[in-house]
Amino acid sequence: MSRLNFEDERINFTPLILYVDYIHILHREYLIKNYENITPVDVTYLMNIFYNSNCSQKDLSELLFVSESNVAQIIKKLEKHGFITRTPDEKNKSRKILNLTNEGKIVVFKLIKGMYEWEGDFFKDYPPEDVAKFKKMLYEYSQKTIDSIY
């Protein structure tokens, strides 16, 4: 496989989002090779349901900045594959509560394990404080992106 081969000057002038896109594309390929029926979008939904158990489809649409109809479409697919359940909210029957099934939890744990292994490999030559700073900067970049759009 070819590698990125930018001159130092080009590295500094290449927008960060391009590097994020490369990572996203390669992550998609990894998922295709290693997981049946899981795309990067599915990972985003599964991880958010994992970290926000008992959330509604509306909650998820707000978390992910997508329409409720988009959430419904992805949720339907994840439910079909046995990764999540949708149950009516006892206080509001029209509201559906989302949770991972046992199979969904197993998949999320495998995904998290794989992500941490990849990160460990990637960051092995960096001091922990640099890794923490890099992650904080990416988090802040994400927040600023949200703030600039919404």
Side-chain angles (χ1 to χ4, degrees), residues 57-69:
Q57 290 181 203
K58 181 177 182 178
D59 296 337
L60 202 54
S61 76
E62 290 172 2
L63 276 169
L64 300 175
F65 306 99
V66 296
S67 69
E68 286 187 61
S69 62

Side-chain angles (χ1 to χ4, degrees), residues 84-127:
I84 65 155
T85 60
R86 279 190 292 187
T87 55
D89 186 338
E90 291 179 12
K91 297 174 186 163
N92 178 352
K93 298 294 181 196
S94 65
R95 183 175 186 244
K96 302 294 185 208
I97 301 298
L98 307 173
N99 281 296
L100 296 175
T101 62
N102 284 337
E103 184 177 351
K105 289 175 185 174
I106 290 168
V107 167
V108 167
F109 291 141
K110 286 179 182 178
L111 288 165
I112 291 172
K113 180 180 183 279
M115 289 175 196
Y116 280 132
E117 287 171 352
W118 179 84
E119 280 186 19
D121 241 14
F122 177 79
F123 288 123
K124 68 182 175 208
D125 297 327
Y126 296 92

Side-chain angles (χ1 to χ4, degrees), residues 122-135:
F122 177 79
F123 288 123
K124 68 182 175 208
D125 297 327
Y126 296 92
E129 56 274 4
D130 286 356
V131 174
K133 184 177 180 180
F134 178 71
K135 284 186 171 186

Side-chain angles (χ1 to χ4, degrees), residues 24-41:
H24 181 76
I25 290 165
L26 294 171
H27 183 243
R28 181 179 182 281
E29 292 302 313
Y30 167 81
L31 291 172
I32 288 168
K33 288 179 185 174
N34 294 285
Y35 294 90
E36 191 174 326
N37 301 319
I38 297 181
T39 67
V41 170

